[in-house]
Amino acid sequence: MKIEKKIWLSLIASVLFAVIFSIWIFRQDTVRNELPFDNTTSLKTTSFKTDGAKTESVILSDEFHTQKAILFQTTHTNAEVWLDGKLIYQYGNEKHTPKFMKSPGSCWHIVDIPANSDTKKLTVKIIPVYQGYYGNPVHLFLGTRGDCILKILSQSLGILILSCGVLFLGFLSLVLYIAVIRKKQEDFSEETSKIFLNLGIFSLLIALWSLNQCGFLQFLVPDGRTLYFIDFFTFYLFPVPFNFLLYDICKSKFKKAALFLSVSYLINMGAAVLLQCMGIVDIFQILPITHLIMLVNTAYTIGLIHYEAKQLGNELARKFRYPMYLIMCFALSKLLIYYIRKFQQTSVFLPLGTLLFILMLIWIQVSQYYEQCIQKQKLIYFQKLANIDMLTEAMNRNAYENMIRYLDEQELELHTTGVVLLDLDNLKEINDNFGHEKGDEALKLCYQCIRQAFQSEQNCFRIGGDEFAYIFHKDEKALIADKLHKLELLLNEKDQDLSYSLSVSSGYAYYQPDTDMDFKDIVRRSDTMLYREKRRKKYHIPLLLIRCFLPESNLVHKGSRMN
């Protein structure tokens, strides 16, 4: 077993031991020091309306030994806090705010109360800026400022966690997009890279909108009016990259409507901001128009994806079909609950649906990438299998023939080429006397020496049972004799530890413009030289005697091994 597996098993065993031991300790009879996450007190108030304002009134009779504060939330309304008839806090009536803004936005309020033992009458007035709209029901909570902050976080903990998950996946999608771009789409298609980009931007916009909805963004941007526009800008914009995503997935002519819908969101946002700044109507009041576009977008998305997957057999649409259906259902549920709650705070449906949607899409894309990598590795393996001799791991006859065809087609390459033919001596005798296993061993050792001597695996070929070939460029012509001498030394070194003799005969030639028409002519002259070398060894003819009768160009180098 590998050391990594042993460590993993030890880690798992340690975790199980830690869990069991901790549970056993917890079940013992010990003094428990509980730390409540929410230490605020919910105040029971008396509600009534006066002069168009909704008032929440409560009598604070506790003695405050520490600085206390009250916590409440408003949605598109102004607010005032009165203590014993004295105004101690107001929100939404600032003098220097832009004149075109009616709504002060949605935010949480923490109002400090002086620490003394007097009975106090606390009154919170919710003053509407839109006739008859008072926003969320007001709930008052009492505690320290720290308690109030924890209350805000605990109140929206679910949406906060989902939003952080969407934010993380959005950054992950952009990282994957950058990785794809840097690889220059070697393993990914162009559509895949665009999917990661659009998915990342869509996720970041949804996360920003959701973090604002749950109140967390107020800790970073402590201004309700700024958050008001951040809320609506992200809400108007996040469908745009989603439609781009849809456009990249689909193939039919109907996908162009996704671009028109994207433009409609941008025009709608521009018109809404213009009407807001002109003081004609607030963005909040014309939000149903955006919801109507989203309903049309939802119906279009479901219909298009179904058509692409079922009618056209679009593989990408088929894979993305169920994630698309899922997020559309969650978006419709969010919209429905928003109107049921009478335009109050949103639900967890959209961030939850987005999180599941992104997870499914990333899983699909990564799985597809993994399959592509597997197929690529298989292709490399089969290509290697087609061109590699399984016994010696040299390039095989098929690769040799491909090289010959290439050289015959490339005339300039042919004119600068030479070939060395090598033949393992006495392979039949090795097989007969020592067995085929030793014969295979001799072939492997022979190729190892050839590879070390010529140092170019791509140009070394096993072209027959005991035959090898090395194709060289004219720049190596002067070095061939030295390489053959090195080969002889390597074979001699191997031969010392073997029970049989290990040697090769060789012949080489390079292109001669006067005599050679194609590569086979070079091979023919090399083969002639090899044949003469084999005959010399067979009949034990001294090399010096051959030199007297044959031209120097047809001789094997003096370093060729003698039997």
Side-chain angles (χ1 to χ4, degrees):
M1 185 182 294
K2 293 183 178 179
I3 185 65
E4 293 87 351
K5 291 184 178 180
K6 293 181 179 179
I7 294 175
W8 271 110
L9 290 175
S10 300
L11 177 61
I12 293 171
S14 300
V15 170
L16 290 175
F17 168 77
V19 171
I20 295 172
F21 188 81
S22 300
I23 293 173
W24 177 75
I25 289 294
F26 185 79
R27 296 186 65 180
Q28 303 305 307
D29 188 11
T30 58
V31 177
R32 307 198 186 280
N33 183 19
E34 296 184 7
L35 297 175
F37 187 73
D38 182 7
N39 202 29
T40 61
T41 302
S42 180
L43 299 176
K44 294 182 179 180
T45 61
T46 302
S47 301
F48 57 92
K49 291 183 181 180
T50 176
D51 298 330
K54 185 178 180 182
T55 302
E56 303 288 338
S57 181
V58 64
I59 302 297
L60 303 177
S61 58
D62 294 335
E63 291 188 8
F64 301 150
H65 300 291
T66 57
Q67 182 74 47
K68 293 288 186 178
I70 60 165
L71 170 70
F72 63 98
Q73 185 182 21
T74 59
T75 307
H76 302 298
T77 60
N78 297 333
E80 293 178 356
V81 179
W82 297 77
L83 185 63
D84 292 335
K86 181 181 179 182
L87 182 65
I88 62 171
Y89 176 83
Q90 65 175 349
Y91 175 78
N93 292 320
E94 297 84 356
K95 295 180 180 179
H96 301 292
T97 56
K99 300 298 182 181
F100 58 79
M101 283 203 68
K102 291 182 181 180
S103 171
S106 302
C107 63
W108 288 91
H109 308 271
I110 300 177
V111 183
D112 292 323
I113 298 174
N116 55 55
S117 58
D118 295 338
T119 301
K120 305 174 182 67
K121 181 181 179 181
L122 182 73
T123 303
V124 177
K125 289 185 178 181
I126 306 299
I127 305 168
V129 296
Y130 306 118
Q131 186 176 5
Y133 181 74
Y134 295 95
N136 289 337
V138 175
H139 300 286
L140 300 183
F141 301 94
L142 179 67
T144 64
R145 290 189 71 87
D147 294 333
C148 293
I149 291 173
L150 287 177
K151 179 65 179 180
I152 295 173
L153 296 176
S154 63
Q155 189 89 354
S156 54
L157 185 61
I159 299 181
L160 177 60
I161 293 174
L162 291 174
S163 302
C164 291
V166 173
L167 187 65
F168 170 76
L169 291 177
F171 280 118
L172 178 61
S173 299
L174 293 179
V175 168
L176 290 173
Y177 168 73
I178 294 172
V180 171
I181 293 299
R182 292 186 65 179
K183 280 194 170 186
K184 298 180 180 179
Q185 286 86 32
E186 290 179 358
D187 299 313
F188 286 93
S189 63
E190 185 177 356
E191 290 80 5
T192 301
S193 64
K194 289 181 179 178
I195 286 171
F196 281 130
L197 175 62
N198 294 324
L199 191 59
I201 297 174
F202 169 73
S203 304
L204 294 181
L205 290 172
I206 285 283
L208 190 61
W209 174 81
S210 185
L211 287 171
N212 186 35
Q213 289 286 306
C214 73
F216 178 78
L217 212 58
Q218 187 177 341
F219 292 106
L220 304 178
V221 185
D223 180 69
R225 288 178 173 82
T226 304
L227 294 175
Y228 172 85
F229 280 103
I230 291 176
D231 182 38
F232 288 114
F233 286 158
T234 52
F235 189 71
Y236 279 114
L237 291 175
F238 78 73
V240 176
F242 178 83
N243 280 295
F244 286 165
L245 178 66
L246 186 65
Y247 181 83
D248 292 330
I249 291 173
C250 298
K251 306 296 182 184
S252 69
K253 61 181 181 180
F254 301 112
K255 72 175 186 177
K256 292 183 179 179
L259 300 181
F260 296 143
L261 284 168
S262 299
V263 173
S264 69
Y265 284 111
L266 298 177
I267 293 174
N268 184 36
M269 187 186 78
V273 173
L274 182 63
L275 293 173
Q276 171 89 60
C277 294
M278 293 175 65
I280 298 174
V281 63
D282 277 14
I283 294 177
F284 175 70
Q285 294 175 299
I286 57 174
L287 199 56
I289 297 176
T290 308
H291 291 158
L292 182 61
I293 298 175
M294 287 183 172
L295 285 174
V296 174
N297 203 159
T298 301
Y300 165 75
T301 300
I302 294 174
L304 180 62
I305 286 291
H306 181 78
Y307 173 76
E308 291 273 344
K310 291 291 186 180
Q311 301 298 324
L312 299 186
N314 185 337
E315 184 65 20
L316 205 55
R318 187 185 64 81
K319 290 181 178 180
F320 289 177
R321 179 176 49 176
Y322 293 113
M324 287 289 188
Y325 291 166
L326 178 72
I327 194 171
M328 291 296 102
C329 290
F330 275 92
L332 287 174
S333 300
K334 177 263 170 190
L335 201 58
L336 182 62
I337 290 177
Y338 180 73
Y339 279 93
I340 291 175
R341 291 182 176 179
K342 299 180 179 179
F343 315 110
Q344 296 171 8
Q345 286 298 94
T346 187
S347 63
V348 300
F349 281 101
L350 190 57
L352 177 59
T354 303
L355 184 68
L356 296 175
F357 173 71
I358 299 169
L359 280 172
M360 293 174 72
L361 257 62
I362 289 180
W363 175 260
I364 290 171
Q365 290 299 95
V366 171
S367 298
Q368 183 176 346
Y369 171 65
Y370 177 75
E371 290 177 3
Q372 289 176 353
C373 288
I374 293 297
Q375 293 301 322
K376 185 177 180 180
Q377 292 300 319
K378 286 182 178 179
L379 180 62
I380 293 173
Y381 173 75
F382 287 128
Q383 287 176 342
K384 182 178 179 180
L385 198 64
N387 294 305
I388 298 294
D389 176 60
M390 300 307 295
L391 176 64
T392 62
E393 297 186 357
M395 304 297 287
N396 62 13
R397 181 80 190 197
N398 181 61
Y400 179 70
E401 294 293 340
N402 289 336
M403 178 66 79
I404 292 176
R405 282 194 292 271
Y406 170 77
L407 291 173
D408 286 340
E409 292 172 1
Q410 303 293 326
E411 186 175 353
L412 293 178
E413 292 284 343
L414 179 65
H415 293 176
T416 59
T417 298
V419 63
V420 181
L421 297 181
L422 304 118
D423 193 297
L424 178 62
D425 295 329
N426 306 318
L427 178 61
K428 184 177 184 306
E429 287 79 0
I430 295 173
N431 286 329
D432 293 343
N433 298 327
F434 300 95
H436 287 276
E437 184 177 347
K438 290 296 183 180
D440 291 343
E441 178 189 70
L443 288 168
K444 291 178 183 179
L445 292 173
C446 179
Y447 174 67
Q448 289 175 11
C449 294
I450 292 171
R451 186 177 60 184
Q452 291 179 51
F454 292 97
Q455 298 179 345
S456 178
E457 295 182 28
Q458 296 300 314
N459 290 338
C460 290
F461 305 87
R462 183 188 178 195
I463 58 176
D466 56 359
E467 297 176 277
F468 296 88
Y470 174 72
I471 297 176
F472 63 90
H473 192 265
K474 70 175 183 179
D475 296 339
E476 296 182 75
K477 186 171 77 172
L479 303 175
I480 293 300
D482 293 332
K483 290 184 177 183
L484 286 171
H485 179 62
K486 182 179 180 181
L487 174 61
E488 179 186 12
L489 296 177
L490 291 169
L491 290 168
N492 283 333
E493 183 179 345
K494 296 284 186 183
D495 192 42
Q496 304 300 321
D497 302 324
L498 299 175
S499 56
Y500 49 86
S501 177
L502 186 66
S503 65
V504 297
S505 298
S506 61
Y508 62 92
Y510 45 86
Y511 179 81
Q512 297 291 342
D514 297 333
T515 59
D516 299 332
M517 297 295 294
D518 54 25
F519 187 80
K520 290 182 179 179
D521 292 332
I522 307 174
V523 173
R524 193 176 297 110
R525 290 191 295 109
S526 298
D527 194 52
T528 299
M529 186 176 182
L530 172 65
Y531 175 71
R532 288 172 179 168
E533 172 70 2
K534 296 284 285 186
R535 290 189 63 188
R536 181 185 70 79
K537 289 183 177 183
K538 181 177 180 180
Y539 296 110
H540 304 285
I541 302 174
L543 184 59
L544 290 176
L545 184 61
I546 295 178
R547 286 177 181 273
C548 298
F549 298 98
L550 294 176
E552 180 68 23
S553 62
N554 286 334
L555 287 175
V556 68
H557 187 264
K558 65 180 181 179
S560 296
R561 182 163 182 197
M562 304 279 291
N563 265 356

